[in-house]
Amino acid sequence: MLARLALCSRSPSRIRQSNVCPVSIRAFAQAKFPRPQGKSLAYRSELKQAKRIVVKLGSAVVTRDECGLALGRLASIVEQVAMLQNQGREMLIVTSGAVAFGKQRLRHEILLSQSVRQALHSGQNQLKEMTVPVLEARACAAAGQSGLMALYETMFTQYSTCTAQILVTNLDFHDEQKRRNLNSTLHELLRMNIVPIINTNDAVVPPPVPNSDLQGGNVISIKDNDSLAARLAVEMKADLLIALSDVEGLYDRPPGIDDAKLIDIFYPGDQQSITYGTKSRVGIGGMEAKVKAALWALQGGTSVVIANGTHPKVTGHVITDIVEGKKVGTFFSEVKPAGPTVEQQTEMARHAGRALASLDPEQRGEIICSLAELLTEKKDEILSANKRDMELATTSGRLSQPLIDRLSLSTAKLNSLAIGLRQLAVSSRDSVGRVLRRTRVANNLELEQITVPIGVLLVIFESRPDCLPQVSALAIASGNALLLKGGKEASNTNRILHQLTQEALSIHGVADAIQLVSTREEVEDLCRLDKLIDLIIPRGSSQLVRTIQRAAKGIPVLGHSEGVCHVYIDSEAAIDKAIDIVRDSKCDYPAACNAMETLLIHRDLLRTPIFDQLIDLLRTEHVKIHAGPRFASYLTFSPSEVKSLRTEYGDLECCIEVVDSMQDAVDHIHKYGSSHTDVIVTESEETAEQFLQQVDSACVFWNSSSRFADGYRFGLGAEVGISTSRIHARGPVGLEGLLTTKWVLRGEGHTVADFSEQGSMKYLHENLPVPQGGFN
């Protein structure tokens, strides 16, 4: 057998010190990563179950240039492999690089030898120009293999991980006895928690076996490390093969060509849709060879991902990202979904969205009114679907009570939705194409600034299915394409509401403008579609919003991080108003983002009837009270002291804190609030006006509940959310917040040269009246 095993030396005492027992690791891995044997994983999300993983490192990944190794990349890869190994997975590496490393060493030795001979021959320090002869690949491999392995061994030692070297040729797979020996050796190494590092024995490798190359049979010719990795993965019954190269994955045409698209998921039978380019300048394989090897491995029951292992921004986590199921590279799957991919859905939405934007305002209004009517006509079907979601949510026990409350629909909610949509239909007639400014730049040269849609919106929402028709109507009114990603807990309700939305859109032939993402796409993957999506709007918990803000790559996010809303009871507050406002702000709908979370009370009100009545109110309504630091200091026996003054409870809980003045309340809000909605209760107009001017929040109210912070209650018809951003829209975001502008210039052959010092024209910049009704 042409396999050479070189175990790194590790003393028995060191093995004991690591506290890792091979048997316990294997048992742990089997418990943690269960999956059906002999069948490839169908979805990216299932890659987390992968226990045995083969990582193939192409020449372009391992080498820095035509000779020499990319040490930084290798260090990152080793760290990731060691991390996964320490999680209890079984990791194998198929590596290139021996030829490149050997070429570097041999060139150095030849140049050094030439310089010594020339110096002795000439007797001078000045050396003649030296040339390096062409180096034979097998010699380079022989010279470089030991150094490459020593490098891996040194790197893995930093993570207390042992490695072993295996060199193979075709004979080791095609000769039955050698194949069994190889299989036995590899299984024993994995059992001992050792990372095998496999390479073709390029110093003696024979030519490929003819007529046995990737034909889907039981044999595969080992022509390169792609075919080696595939053959090894199937032989070892690996769950996942990660093939790293110098491209992002598989494209439908060569990556350098315009409009080349990265293929997210590739299925057997799709080969005819691919146009391959040339192979990498290093290595002996190309993308076509990688795809053939991947499909062979897939047929053998191993899932495959081809990804970029050279990109400096992702190299340090590309392997772990793939194993976590993130959308990285091209995933090979045997399960083809019935519907379009999310990328295809986005393209469909963009195309139909442009048609939607070109409709007359009255036509968009007709679509919204039709949707409002369908919500009323089909309420029984909607409520039946919602009942199924509610039953599943209740029996599963995975949702908190506030989220279950958000999930619930009723006849009253549907009626309110319909009213809001009809209100929005009226305002939509003055949206897209509205002229904001007209200027006569010069004679016969006029400029207009007009409103236009933003483009493609992605709205991600939790639990609340009533969000779907609201956001859909706003997208229709503003002429935007829309992608909707709802929570699984509302899947039945969302499905029928989306069907009704498309039914309304179809009256003017733009049904595809609004798409419901029902595939297994993760939120983080959607946030990476920066070339397809123009704005992300999260609707849900503060945790969801923060997750999306972190995950968004180059896409603006419109949302609020938290809803830490305050109600300040001033020393001159009226008792009845204070009681009603606090009850409504906290208890009407505690799960809402505009519900009160902190009650600020003026110090002079302590131990007064208004204070006692406020406490009694909260206790009667079963509101759990948390004491702020100052409030706790006034009490002998206080409620539990608050852990943080920045807490959004989203339930029947709130914090009470004491302040010395209105200015103290403003300072507290600025320090601990989230710039969402804040309220003052006082009979002093002067104090109220100072509060309204000084508090820097999206919504600031005087003597009214914080729950009024809502698009429908503001007369916007609906809202896509409440923004605490200080750029673009702020507060409840309705129709206006989903529009941007463009500039239109109408001239008669004007050029900038006409306005130069030597030109014949002068700028006028005269403001012109905007057309009545706002449309040109």
Side-chain angles (χ1 to χ4, degrees):
M1 174 180 172
L2 293 175
R4 182 167 61 88
L5 174 63
L7 292 176
C8 67
S9 59
R10 175 181 286 185
S11 66
S13 60
R14 183 167 181 178
I15 294 176
R16 286 194 296 270
Q17 289 170 0
S18 68
N19 293 324
V20 178
C21 171
V23 176
S24 64
I25 288 176
R26 183 167 54 183
F28 169 76
Q30 289 171 345
K32 190 174 182 182
F33 311 114
R35 64 172 295 271
Q37 293 297 318
K39 188 176 180 181
S40 63
L41 300 167
Y43 305 101
R44 283 187 183 271
S45 58
E46 295 177 344
L47 295 181
K48 297 176 183 178
Q49 303 173 19
K51 174 191 173 186
R52 183 170 294 169
I53 302 170
V54 175
V55 178
K56 181 262 174 180
L57 307 178
S59 299
V61 176
V62 177
T63 59
R64 177 170 33 84
D65 44 39
E66 291 189 6
C67 63
L69 299 181
L71 297 179
R73 287 201 292 265
L74 280 178
S76 297
I77 289 166
V78 166
E79 181 179 18
Q80 294 171 80
V81 171
M83 181 189 307
L84 294 171
Q85 180 86 356
N86 290 333
Q87 289 177 2
R89 304 180 197 266
E90 297 175 343
M91 306 298 297
L92 301 91
I93 293 178
V94 175
T95 182
S96 302
V99 174
F101 198 10
K103 186 182 294 185
Q104 183 184 40
R105 290 184 61 185
L106 291 180
R107 280 184 172 180
H108 177 76
E109 292 297 330
I110 290 170
L111 289 173
L112 180 61
S113 177
Q114 286 182 351
S115 65
V116 172
R117 287 199 303 269
Q118 289 183 14
L120 292 173
H121 180 74
S122 63
Q124 303 174 15
N125 289 329
Q126 294 182 347
L127 302 179
K128 298 178 182 179
E129 184 176 350
M130 293 178 290
T131 59
V132 178
V134 176
L135 300 175
E136 204 274 329
R138 287 190 176 92
C140 292
Q145 187 63 46
S146 60
L148 178 65
M149 188 58 204
L151 179 63
Y152 275 119
E153 195 169 313
T154 300
M155 288 182 169
F156 273 106
T157 300
Q158 306 304 312
Y159 303 96
S160 299
T161 301
C162 190
T163 58
Q165 177 179 258
I166 303 286
L167 295 179
V168 297
T169 68
N170 258 322
L171 294 176
D172 298 308
F173 291 101
H174 295 294
D175 182 281
E176 185 61 25
Q177 183 60 48
K178 291 183 177 182
R179 187 185 65 80
R180 285 199 299 267
N181 290 345
L182 174 61
N183 189 296
S184 174
T185 299
L186 289 172
H187 275 90
E188 181 65 14
L189 292 175
L190 294 177
R191 189 189 69 80
M192 296 170 64
N193 200 31
I194 293 172
V195 176
I197 299 178
I198 303 102
N199 197 355
T200 53
N201 194 347
D202 293 324
V204 298
V205 64
V209 176
N211 303 322
S212 61
D213 184 22
L214 302 166
Q215 297 300 317
N218 293 325
V219 293
I220 180 173
S221 178
I222 308 301
K223 299 174 62 175
D224 49 42
N225 276 343
D226 294 311
S227 52
L228 168 60
R231 184 67 179 90
L232 183 76
V234 173
E235 176 70 26
M236 295 298 295
K237 296 182 173 58
D239 304 315
L240 174 62
L241 166 59
I242 300 174
L244 299 182
S245 65
D246 57 351
V247 293
E248 304 300 321
L250 176 60
Y251 286 78
D252 60 353
R253 62 194 74 183
I257 296 178
D258 289 342
D259 299 326
K261 293 181 180 179
L262 178 66
I263 298 173
D264 173 36
I265 306 177
F266 190 75
Y267 308 97
D270 285 354
Q271 296 95 311
Q272 302 303 319
S273 63
I274 304 299
T275 302
Y276 296 102
T278 59
K279 73 177 187 66
S280 169
R281 62 181 176 82
V282 293
I284 60 175
M287 184 55 73
E288 186 172 9
K290 290 177 175 59
V291 172
K292 287 182 178 180
L295 291 174
W296 193 91
L298 187 67
Q299 184 181 4
T302 297
S303 300
V304 183
V305 175
I306 295 177
N308 191 337
T310 65
H311 197 293
K313 292 185 178 179
V314 299
T315 303
H317 47 81
V318 60
I319 298 174
T320 51
D321 278 355
I322 290 171
V323 176
E324 288 173 9
K326 294 182 180 179
K327 185 177 281 189
V328 178
T330 300
F331 173 61
F332 287 71
S333 174
E334 291 187 299
V335 179
K336 193 166 188 175
T341 66
V342 69
E343 290 84 0
Q344 291 170 332
Q345 284 187 284
T346 309
E347 293 286 358
M348 292 162 58
R350 185 183 291 278
H351 179 75
R354 286 169 178 157
L356 173 66
S358 66
L359 295 177
D360 293 334
E362 290 77 12
Q363 292 175 309
R364 288 195 298 274
E366 287 174 10
I367 295 173
I368 298 172
C369 287
S370 174
L371 177 56
E373 292 170 5
L374 287 169
L375 291 177
T376 304
E377 293 173 6
K378 305 288 186 179
K379 68 177 182 180
D380 291 340
E381 296 177 35
I382 298 170
L383 294 177
S384 176
N386 185 246
K387 183 181 178 182
R388 290 197 297 274
D389 287 331
M390 290 289 291
E391 289 172 350
L392 289 171
T394 303
T395 55
S396 69
R398 290 194 299 266
L399 292 184
S400 64
Q401 190 58 46
L403 287 179
I404 291 178
D405 292 342
R406 290 182 181 183
L407 178 60
S408 173
L409 286 181
S410 63
T411 300
K413 273 190 177 182
L414 292 176
N415 289 338
S416 295
L417 276 173
I419 293 170
L421 264 55
R422 293 188 181 96
Q423 182 181 352
L424 181 62
V426 176
S427 61
S428 69
R429 296 167 186 167
D430 187 22
S431 56
V432 181
R434 180 159 48 93
V435 179
L436 301 177
R437 179 197 304 266
R438 292 183 66 211
T439 304
R440 180 178 288 114
V441 179
N443 290 333
N444 299 320
L445 185 63
E446 292 188 3
L447 177 69
E448 289 180 343
Q449 184 187 23
I450 64 174
T451 56
V452 293
I454 290 173
V456 179
L457 312 176
L458 167 61
V459 176
I460 303 170
F461 56 100
E462 293 176 317
S463 294
R464 292 183 54 176
D466 55 331
C467 171
L468 194 151
Q470 283 185 331
V471 174
S472 297
L474 283 166
I476 294 166
S478 57
N480 284 291
L482 177 62
L483 273 168
L484 292 159
K485 174 65 173 174
K488 286 183 278 189
E489 65 278 356
S491 58
N492 291 300
T493 315
N494 288 338
R495 189 179 304 113
I496 187 169
L497 289 173
H498 178 248
Q499 290 171 356
L500 298 179
T501 302
Q502 290 199 309
E503 183 177 339
L505 286 163
S506 65
I507 65 176
H508 288 296
V510 289
D512 288 339
I514 296 178
Q515 299 283 332
L516 179 64
V517 180
S518 55
T519 61
R520 292 173 174 248
E521 299 293 333
E522 298 291 337
V523 168
E524 290 188 4
D525 293 332
L526 292 171
C527 291
R528 291 189 176 95
L529 301 177
D530 56 297
K531 295 181 180 178
L532 300 174
I533 295 170
D534 300 296
L535 179 66
I536 302 176
I537 303 170
R539 291 283 303 266
S541 66
S542 58
Q543 181 181 355
L544 171 71
V545 177
R546 285 195 297 269
T547 298
I548 292 171
Q549 287 173 332
R550 286 193 299 266
K553 306 296 183 184
I555 309 175
V557 178
L558 183 67
H560 60 87
S561 57
E562 290 173 308
V564 183
C565 303
H566 296 76
V567 174
Y568 164 57
I569 310 298
D570 186 56
S571 59
E572 298 181 65
I575 293 181
D576 54 344
K577 293 179 183 177
I579 296 295
D580 291 342
I581 289 170
V582 169
R583 177 189 288 112
D584 194 73
S585 296
K586 180 71 261 184
C587 307
D588 174 66
Y589 189 11
C593 63
N594 56 15
M596 180 194 79
E597 305 294 5
T598 298
L599 176 62
L600 298 177
I601 299 178
H602 194 286
R603 181 184 58 185
D604 293 347
L605 297 180
L606 291 177
R607 300 181 180 88
T608 65
I610 187 172
F611 173 79
D612 294 338
Q613 290 185 42
L614 286 170
I615 298 299
D616 289 342
L617 159 70
L618 296 173
R619 287 175 176 167
T620 302
E621 296 288 344
H622 305 290
V623 177
K624 183 178 180 180
I625 298 173
H626 302 275
R630 290 199 63 192
F631 181 46
S633 68
Y634 285 97
L635 304 174
T636 304
F637 300 100
S638 68
S640 60
E641 188 166 341
V642 68
K643 295 180 180 178
S644 171
L645 291 168
R646 295 187 177 92
T647 302
E648 181 182 19
Y649 298 100
D651 206 344
L652 285 174
E653 297 182 63
C654 75
C655 169
I656 297 179
E657 183 57 310
V658 175
V659 292
D660 293 333
S661 63
M662 181 276 295
Q663 188 60 54
D664 195 15
V666 170
D667 294 340
H668 179 102
I669 290 169
H670 286 164
K671 184 174 182 179
Y672 299 109
S674 60
S675 301
H676 192 294
T677 300
D678 297 292
V679 176
I680 182 172
V681 181
T682 184
E683 295 302 298
S684 170
E685 182 176 354
E686 180 182 358
T687 301
E689 290 300 330
Q690 290 179 11
F691 183 91
L692 297 176
Q693 291 176 20
Q694 291 184 37
V695 172
D696 184 21
S697 295
C699 301
V700 190
F701 300 161
W702 173 23
N703 284 350
S704 56
S705 168
S706 63
R707 294 278 290 114
F708 278 105
D710 176 83
Y712 172 73
R713 294 171 187 137
F714 280 9
L716 303 179
E719 66 176 38
V720 295
I722 296 180
S723 170
T724 55
S725 171
R726 288 167 175 78
I727 300 175
H728 191 53
R730 194 178 188 198
V733 180
L735 179 58
E736 294 290 333
L738 299 181
L739 295 170
T740 185
T741 64
K742 72 177 179 182
W743 298 86
V744 178
L745 190 65
R746 295 182 175 88
E748 295 183 357
H750 293 77
T751 65
V752 171
D754 295 334
F755 296 87
S756 65
E757 292 184 5
Q758 294 77 28
S760 59
M761 303 191 73
K762 301 293 182 184
Y763 289 109
L764 297 177
H765 293 140
E766 295 178 351
N767 290 330
L768 300 175
V770 174
Q772 186 67 29
F775 286 92
N776 185 9

